[in-house]
Amino acid sequence: MAANDRKMQVLQAIVDDYVTTNEPVGSKALIERHKFPVSSATLRNDMAELERMGLIEKPHTSAGRIPSDRGYREYVDSLMKIDELSMAEREEISKRIDECVDEAGDLLKNASSVLSEATGMVSLVMTPRLAGSALLQLKLLMIEPGKALVVMVLSAGVVKDKVVRIPNFLTPEQLKEISDSVEKSLNGKPLDEITLITLATSVKETKIPDTLLNQVLYETYTAIKQADRLDVFLEGEHNMLKLPDFSELRRAQSLLGTLSHDGMVAGYVNEIEREKTGGDDTYMIRIGQEIALEGLEDCSFITTTYKVGDTISGNIGVIGPKRMDYSKVISQIDFVRYKINEKIKKING
């Protein structure tokens, strides 16, 4: 075996052992566990070279070595092999997700919970970005005097609704007239192109007084814009506190402080999504110092996308310690994503 090939095998063994044991790895342990056909001295030389390359490092309290952020990156990019989940694992995930009621929001929240339980880490599922999707239907339905329901059907097959305030004196017939005019005018228009002006233009032929129209138009506009709001489902923050990686109070507080701001996490996911150059199946993996969020420097962040229709996608991922079983976690994310895609197709008929 060439020396360079062996060094990479040594790195792989150190990562695998450290993930399993959370203990720094020495040359003696490598020989015992992995049966390297070389002496301890040769392995120590390989480890010294890996350390010079910045791929492993020595904790202050141990003679063994642990992977550095660069070492994990080399492992993920070049050495990791993705394993298939067992039949039992796939069946358990399928059972949990298939229990969900047929509504997209409940499905995504449930999927986040299932992924957190499967990985033992923090899961993240974000609702799809809908700004580019078109408005297919819009109904204004009278609930009672002064209150109406705005129901929107989007081209992604997503249904959004919002209860809004309307003038007390507006009749159901007038509300239907407004609804029909808006729907006819805006049918097929992308959400991000709809403005108050386009709404006002859509009802200019109606005979309804402006004093009644203006509030309805403003509330409808607000409902349309809120339809594109990203909801974030973070589950399993408590799981991280069970891991020895976050037993130190400062680390735990910093981590939980960041995770409590789900909007900040969602914004970061949007940023790395824009950087993505691969297809929808690409996994974005950020390790340690690569994560531009204070509080997650001791973590790894894995995200990918699920599909809603042909052009609309949302994000799914896991936040965990750098010392995670990357192959296993990616397999778990991938299968939960597959189940989300499958379930959404059924919901959309």
Side-chain angles (χ1 to χ4, degrees):
M1 180 189 301
N4 283 338
D5 291 341
R6 188 181 63 245
K7 281 199 285 286
M8 289 300 100
Q9 287 194 0
V10 171
L11 174 62
Q12 183 168 4
I14 290 173
V15 172
D16 289 341
D17 283 5
Y18 186 59
V19 165
T20 302
T21 67
N22 193 35
E23 295 290 339
V25 182
S27 58
K28 182 179 178 182
L30 286 175
I31 288 179
E32 291 175 351
R33 293 175 186 150
H34 300 277
K35 312 301 181 187
F36 281 101
V38 293
S39 66
S40 291
T42 299
L43 276 186
R44 283 194 295 272
N45 288 336
D46 288 340
M47 293 171 73
E49 181 61 24
L50 289 171
E51 191 169 1
R52 281 192 292 271
M53 295 165 66
L55 299 177
I56 61 175
E57 55 194 20
K58 180 180 180 181
H60 297 302
T61 57
S62 172
R65 303 295 187 274
I66 65 173
S68 65
D69 288 4
R70 285 183 60 191
Y72 282 120
R73 171 54 60 192
E74 180 68 24
Y75 173 84
V76 165
D77 289 348
S78 305
L79 303 173
M80 176 180 66
K81 294 180 175 61
I82 306 299
D83 295 327
E84 288 285 330
L85 294 183
S86 69
M87 181 64 72
E89 288 170 321
R90 292 198 299 272
E91 287 178 350
E92 179 61 24
I93 290 173
S94 295
K95 177 184 174 185
R96 287 290 315 281
I97 291 182
D98 288 340
E99 289 173 352
C100 175
V101 298
D102 290 337
E103 201 281 316
D106 290 339
L107 166 65
L108 298 178
K109 185 174 182 179
N110 187 49
S112 184
S113 177
V114 171
L115 184 58
S116 175
E117 289 182 17
T119 61
M121 299 175 199
V122 177
S123 65
L124 170 143
V125 178
M126 288 169 52
T127 52
R129 297 164 193 81
L130 300 172
S133 61
L135 184 67
L136 297 185
Q137 295 181 43
L138 184 143
K139 303 295 182 187
L140 297 169
L141 307 173
M142 182 78 77
I143 298 174
E144 61 185 41
K147 189 181 295 185
L149 181 68
V150 182
V151 181
M152 294 156 283
V153 179
L154 309 179
S155 57
V158 175
V159 178
K160 294 275 186 170
D161 59 61
K162 185 177 189 296
V163 176
V164 299
R165 303 299 305 180
I166 59 174
N168 289 328
F169 301 110
L170 193 72
T171 67
E173 292 75 21
Q174 288 174 319
L175 187 62
K176 184 178 186 305
E177 185 180 355
I178 297 171
S179 176
D180 291 345
S181 296
V182 170
E183 182 177 64
K184 181 179 178 182
S185 178
L186 300 187
N187 181 267
K189 186 175 283 291
L191 293 187
D192 52 7
E193 294 181 14
I194 296 175
T195 66
L196 266 174
I197 293 174
T198 56
L199 276 174
T201 302
S202 72
V203 296
K204 64 182 180 181
E205 300 299 327
T206 66
K207 301 292 191 285
I208 301 168
D210 287 347
T211 53
L212 297 180
L213 267 179
N214 291 339
Q215 183 179 347
V216 177
L217 293 179
Y218 178 77
E219 293 285 353
T220 302
Y221 174 74
T222 301
I224 291 171
K225 290 307 171 184
Q226 287 185 355
D228 187 37
R229 186 191 66 201
L230 286 174
D231 290 324
V232 184
F233 303 107
L234 275 176
E235 297 282 345
E237 294 93 332
H238 63 282
N239 289 333
M240 302 290 267
L241 301 182
K242 301 174 185 177
L243 301 173
D245 311 71
F246 299 97
S247 59
E248 184 183 323
L249 181 60
R250 178 193 60 81
R251 283 188 176 185
Q253 288 176 329
S254 181
L255 170 69
L256 294 180
T258 300
L259 294 180
S260 68
H261 298 288
D262 55 12
M264 185 188 306
V265 177
Y268 178 67
V269 173
N270 276 332
E271 284 181 21
I272 62 177
E273 185 68 22
R274 285 193 289 269
E275 297 173 10
K276 190 167 72 173
T277 57
D280 291 322
D281 291 338
T282 302
Y283 279 85
M284 297 292 285
I285 303 175
R286 293 289 184 268
I287 300 168
Q289 299 300 321
E290 297 172 357
I291 303 175
L293 279 179
E294 184 178 352
L296 299 188
E297 55 273 1
D298 295 312
C299 299
S300 285
F301 199 161
I302 304 176
T303 62
T304 189
T305 56
Y306 63 88
K307 296 288 286 182
V308 180
D310 295 330
T311 60
I312 308 299
S313 62
N315 287 92
I316 178 172
V318 161
I319 302 169
K322 291 185 288 187
R323 186 189 58 84
M324 70 164 67
D325 186 341
Y326 291 89
S327 173
K328 180 79 167 181
V329 170
I330 289 174
S331 295
Q332 290 164 325
I333 295 172
D334 198 53
F335 190 69
V336 172
R337 173 177 66 171
Y338 164 76
K339 294 298 298 183
I340 290 175
N341 291 341
E342 182 182 66
K343 189 83 172 178
I344 284 177
K345 284 181 182 178
K346 291 180 180 178
I347 291 173
N348 292 341

